[in-house]
Amino acid sequence: MCGIVGFIGKEEAAPILLDGLSRLEYRGYDSAGLAVYGEDNGVRVVKTKGRLQALFDLTQGGATLHGAVGLGHTRWATHGEPSDVNSHPHVSERGRFVVVHNGIIENYAELREFLQRKGVRFASQTDSEVVAQLLEYHYREDFLEAVRKTLGQLRGAYALGILCADAPDKLVAVRKDSPLVLGHGDDFQMLASDVTAVIKYTREVTYLDNGELAIITAQGFQVYDSYFQPVEKERHHVDWEISAAEKGGYEHFMAKEIMEQPEAFRKTVFPRIRDGRVVLDDLCFDRDYLGKLDKIYIIACGSSYHVGMVAKYNFERLLRKPVEVALASEFRYSEPIVTKSTLALVISQSGETIDTLTAMREAKRLGARVLSIVNVVGSSIARESDDVLYTWAGPEIAVATTKAYSTQMALTYLIALYFADLMQTISREEYSEVVSELLLVPTKLEQILAQRDSVQYFASLYFNQPSIFFIGRNIDYAIGLEGSLKLKEISYIHSEAYAAGELKHGTISLIEPGTLVVALASYGPLFEKMMSNIVEVKSRGADVVGLTVESRVEGIHRIADHVMEVPDTHPMLLPSLDVVPLQLFAYYIALQRGCDIDKPRNLAKSVTVE
Ligand code: F6R
C-alpha cells in the first residue's frame, strides 16, 4: 500500500526521496510523486501515474528539483483511479500545504462537501486531498494550530507527512493506524512508512505510536501524543544490513527470499532450542492457564492465515484443545465467541495488516489474551499484543511471502511444543523426536532447493495451463492452500486448493483431459486415501504432479505423471518442506509467463486499508 518518505536536512532532498521510494516499491503502487521546497522556487511538485522510473525520468533522477526538504509518495489507489492528478503529494488550493497520506479518510465525502460549500476547489478525486485543503482552511499563520484543527475533523486511518510553505524548516508527521517511522542522522531527519526507506542513510529510528504526531526539523524532532502533550520516545537501532533489502544477484527478490529460507528457519528456531528443549524466554504461560483455555483462536489474513490452517492440525493433535482459524476480515464482524479463557494467536508478517490489527483489538476487547507472531519489530500488532514472538526472517520485499510464511510456521511448531510440554500432553519420546527433526529442517530445505531445476522443468511443461488444482488431505490440504495462493498471486493462473476427499462433492466436474492437478501426498496416515483420490482425477483425464516424501515416492510414481519429492521428517514438520517446491513451482511458472513477479498486479505488500 502507499509509501511515504520525507527528508529534511542540508543536502538535496529529491534524490534521497527517490531512493527511499524505490525501497518502498515492494509495498505495491500505481503512481508516484515528489514535492520539494527550495528557497528560490518555493514548493515544486512532480507526480505521475505508473512506475517510479517515470518519476525518475521526469525529474532526471531528482536533479531538476532543488531544496533540502521534501516529501515523496507511492500511491496504491483506493479513492479515485490511478492518474497523475490523483497521485500524491496533494497541494492545497493556495499552494501552501503539501500532504502525503497512507490510509483512508473515512469521512472525506462530508469534509469535501463542507469545503466545497466554502468555495474550495478540488483538483483530484482522492480522499487524501481533503487533508491539504482542510489545513489551508484552518490556517491562521500558525502551522501547528492548523494541523491540530484538521486532525480533530479526520476519521479513518492515516499516516501523514505535511509540509507548509510558510514554515519550510519543519515537517509534520502524524500516525493513526498506518505505520510511520522517523530516521535520525547527524544533520538530517527522515520519515517513512518503514525502515527500508531510511536504512541506507541511518540505522537510528523511532517508531511512532498510534495517535502520535512529530515535528521534525533538520536538527531533531519532538513527538506529541494525541492530546498534544510532549512524549519521550525510545530510539531503536536497526541491526540488519542494507544488503538484506537488495537482490544480491538474484533476478527477483522472491527467488532470493525462497533461497534464504534455510537460514531464516535457523535464525528463528535454533536460538530457541537449548539442550533439546524449546525455550521461549519471551513467554510466561503456565499449566494452570493453559489447562483452563476454552479455545485458541488463530487470526490472520492470506498466507499467514494458511499458516494458521496448518497450526490448527498440529495444535489440536498435541494440545487436545479446540482451535478455530479465522480470517481477520471476517472475525471482527462475526460476533466471535471469545472469553477470558480464550487465547488469540495473531499471525502477521508486517504487523500492520489493518484487518488483523482491528480483529486483534476486538479479541482483546472481548477478553482474550493475545500472543502474536510478527516479523517487523516495533510494528503495531507487536506493540499491542500481550506477548509477541518475532520471526527472524529479515526484511521480506517480494509481495508474495515465502520466508515469512516459513518462519511463521516454524514458530507455530515451537509454540505447540512449548504448550504441549507445559500441559503434559506430549510424550517425552515425541517431544525429543520433533526437536531433533526441527534441527534438521534447514539442511533438508537446502537439499530441496538444490534440486530446484526439476521443479523448473515441471513448470516448463505446465506454464500455459488455464487452471491448476491443488489437492491434499489434513496438513497436505492446508499446504495446498498456500501453493495455490502463490500460483494465483504471481502467475495469474486460476487455481483452487481442495481437500482431496471433498473434490467429488462438486469440483471434480471441472477436471477434464489435460487439467493439471498437483496432488500433495506427504502425510503418511492418509497416503492410501490420497492415492485413491489421485486415481479419481487420473481417470477423468487429469495430468497429475504428485508431491510426497522420499519414502513414498515409489507408491505415487505408479499413478502420477510426475513427482516432486522432499526428505522425510516428523509429520508435523512436513509443511516446512512441502511448501518449498510449491513456491518454486509458482515462481518458475510466473517466470515463463513473463510476469512481474515481485510486484504482481493489484497487490500490495502491507495491506493497511480494510
Ligand atoms: C501472500 C501474502 C499475503 C499476506 C497477507 C497478510 O503471499 O503475502 O496473503 O500473507 O496480506 O499479511 P501479513 O502477514 O503482513 O499480515
Side-chain angles (χ1 to χ4, degrees):
M1 302 258 139
C2 305
I4 289 177
V5 188
F7 177 87
I8 182 162
K10 293 185 176 149
E11 288 173 62
E12 291 283 29
I16 297 172
L17 295 172
L18 278 172
D19 177 70
L21 290 180
S22 72
R23 297 179 192 279
L24 296 178
E25 273 192 294
Y26 76 93
R27 295 167 69 91
Y29 71 103
D30 44 55
S31 43
L34 289 182
V36 172
Y37 176 90
E39 274 176 19
D40 297 339
N41 303 311
V43 174
R44 283 198 54 211
V45 178
V46 183
K47 51 190 195 173
T48 177
K49 179 183 163 185
R51 289 293 178 207
L52 207 50
Q53 186 60 43
L55 186 63
F56 199 86
D57 295 344
L58 276 174
T59 60
Q60 293 172 18
T64 60
L65 294 174
H66 297 292
V69 51
L71 295 167
H73 190 267
T74 45
R75 173 175 188 247
W76 189 86
T78 58
H79 296 59
E81 57 170 8
S83 68
D84 294 353
V85 75
N86 286 338
S87 312
H88 299 217
H90 288 288
V91 183
S92 59
E93 202 181 349
R94 291 193 204 134
R96 188 176 281 123
F97 285 96
V98 177
V99 170
V100 287
H101 167 222
N102 172 18
I104 291 182
I105 307 298
E106 284 169 4
N107 58 337
Y108 85 101
E110 75 193 52
L111 291 172
R112 190 178 168 111
E113 231 180 271
F114 164 79
L115 288 165
Q116 279 170 332
R117 278 203 304 273
K118 304 281 176 194
V120 175
R121 278 171 308 174
F122 280 76
S124 76
Q125 293 100 46
T126 64
D127 55 329
S128 311
E129 190 186 344
V130 296
V131 183
Q133 304 291 16
L134 210 50
L135 283 161
E136 182 83 64
Y137 174 76
H138 287 304
Y139 185 66
R140 303 286 178 275
E141 302 198 353
D142 184 340
F143 180 12
L144 297 178
E145 191 52 24
V147 170
R148 190 198 295 247
K149 285 190 169 149
T150 299
L151 295 182
Q153 285 184 274
L154 301 183
R155 280 206 313 272
Y158 44 83
L160 297 170
I162 308 171
L163 169 63
C164 175
D166 286 359
D169 60 335
K170 56 176 82 68
L171 290 170
V172 169
V174 187
R175 180 214 158 130
K176 181 172 170 286
D177 290 336
S178 296
L180 262 191
V181 61
L182 308 181
H184 316 296
D186 289 340
D187 55 4
F188 69 88
Q189 303 290 317
M190 295 183 75
L191 65 111
S193 297
D194 75 48
V195 288
T196 47
V198 305
I199 185 88
K200 181 168 166 195
Y201 306 95
T202 177
R203 280 148 181 269
E204 300 306 313
V205 302
T206 300
Y207 297 99
L208 289 188
D209 278 301
N210 225 7
E212 288 180 344
L213 172 151
I215 298 173
I216 308 157
T217 64
Q219 294 75 34
F221 68 100
Q222 175 64 56
V223 177
Y224 298 86
D225 66 16
S226 51
Y227 302 102
F228 294 89
Q229 296 304 310
V231 280
E232 281 313 308
K233 297 289 292 180
E234 189 190 343
R235 278 196 188 203
H236 294 262
H237 179 81
V238 180
D239 57 9
W240 45 264
E241 300 292 328
I242 184 72
S243 60
E246 290 174 343
K247 282 189 201 152
Y250 287 93
E251 200 175 340
H252 297 99
F253 279 109
M254 186 176 176
K256 175 175 176 246
E257 288 160 8
I258 289 174
M259 296 301 285
E260 282 173 350
Q261 289 178 110
E263 196 47 29
F265 192 98
R266 266 191 203 102
K267 280 194 181 146
T268 301
V269 171
F270 285 20
R272 288 162 165 143
I273 294 185
R274 283 178 230 144
D275 300 327
R277 304 204 64 73
V278 174
V279 182
L280 299 178
D281 285 330
D282 305 333
L283 303 189
C284 53
F285 285 85
D286 59 54
R287 188 174 177 198
D288 189 44
Y289 168 83
L290 292 170
K292 289 185 185 142
L293 277 183
D294 55 13
K295 176 163 47 175
I296 299 176
Y297 236 131
I298 303 183
I299 303 169
C301 303
S303 294
S304 301
Y305 169 80
H306 294 158
V307 171
M309 292 291 284
V310 171
K312 174 182 166 74
Y313 288 105
N314 286 332
F315 282 23
E316 287 190 335
R317 190 181 66 79
L318 285 184
L319 310 179
R320 305 313 302 156
K321 288 280 181 189
V323 177
E324 198 162 332
V325 195
L327 290 166
S329 53
E330 288 294 314
F331 175 88
R332 191 174 163 205
Y333 305 105
S334 63
E335 300 185 32
I337 301 172
V338 171
T339 71
K340 289 198 167 21
S341 303
T342 304
L343 175 69
L345 175 62
V346 172
I347 308 178
S348 174
Q349 184 281 130
S350 60
E352 299 293 350
T353 303
I354 197 77
D355 287 323
T356 313
L357 180 62
T358 48
M360 175 184 106
R361 287 181 183 152
E362 178 64 1
K364 263 189 122 168
R365 191 186 69 80
L366 294 169
R369 175 171 174 175
V370 174
L371 163 61
S372 64
I373 295 180
V374 176
N375 192 40
V376 178
V377 175
S379 55
S380 303
I381 290 175
R383 278 176 296 152
E384 293 185 33
S385 307
D386 297 302
D387 303 282
V388 56
L389 285 174
Y390 284 110
T391 47
W392 300 121
E396 191 178 60
I397 307 293
V399 163
T401 182
T402 51
K403 62 176 180 172
Y405 170 94
S406 289
T407 50
Q408 288 169 345
M409 189 70 78
L411 282 183
T412 67
Y413 304 146
L414 298 188
I415 294 169
L417 288 171
Y418 168 76
F419 282 177
D421 186 35
L422 281 171
M423 294 166 77
Q424 298 177 358
T425 49
I426 187 168
S427 69
R428 274 165 195 260
E429 295 70 35
E430 185 173 8
Y431 184 93
S432 305
E433 190 197 337
V434 180
V435 170
S436 321
E437 279 296 329
L438 265 173
L439 297 174
L440 299 176
V441 168
T443 315
K444 292 182 180 180
L445 286 172
E446 278 155 4
Q447 263 170 264
I448 298 167
L449 290 168
Q451 287 160 17
R452 58 190 181 282
D453 286 359
S454 60
V455 182
Q456 186 163 19
Y457 167 68
F458 300 140
S460 74
L461 301 179
Y462 294 110
F463 73 95
N464 265 331
Q465 286 278 320
S467 183
I468 298 180
F469 292 82
F470 290 74
I471 60 170
R473 284 167 173 266
N474 194 275
I475 242 167
D476 281 334
Y477 161 55
I479 306 163
L481 290 170
E482 178 61 8
S484 170
L485 179 63
K486 284 286 87 80
L487 185 80
K488 283 185 272 235
E489 282 182 291
I490 62 168
S491 76
Y492 314 142
I493 293 179
H494 167 259
S495 170
E496 302 208 23
Y498 250 78
E502 183 64 12
L503 207 61
K504 57 186 164 299
H505 298 289
T507 313
I508 202 162
S509 62
L510 295 173
I511 307 292
E512 52 186 13
T515 305
L516 179 62
V517 176
V518 178
L520 284 83
S522 53
Y523 185 64
L526 293 171
F527 185 76
E528 295 307 327
K529 296 241 179 283
M530 259 316 284
M531 292 307 103
S532 312
N533 295 134
I534 294 177
V535 172
E536 282 161 15
V537 292
K538 275 301 301 168
S539 37
R540 270 113 192 136
D543 264 29
V544 173
V545 173
L547 171 59
T548 192
V549 288
E550 256 162 38
S551 59
R552 295 182 199 279
V553 165
E554 265 182 42
I556 194 168
H557 253 309
R558 284 195 285 273
I559 316 174
D561 298 278
H562 307 281
V563 180
M564 304 192 272
E565 64 178 72
V566 298
D568 285 270
T569 186
H570 186 283
M572 87 177 244
L573 309 182
L574 279 169
S576 292
L577 305 185
D578 279 344
V579 79
V580 177
L582 301 186
Q583 294 166 342
L584 289 167
F585 189 61
Y587 174 78
Y588 287 126
I589 285 191
L591 195 64
Q592 292 258 5
R593 291 166 69 92
C595 299
D596 189 353
I597 294 183
D598 285 336
K599 298 187 284 286
R601 69 182 178 211
N602 305 338
L603 293 179
K605 181 72 180 163
S606 175
V607 185
T608 50
V609 295
E610 267 198 68

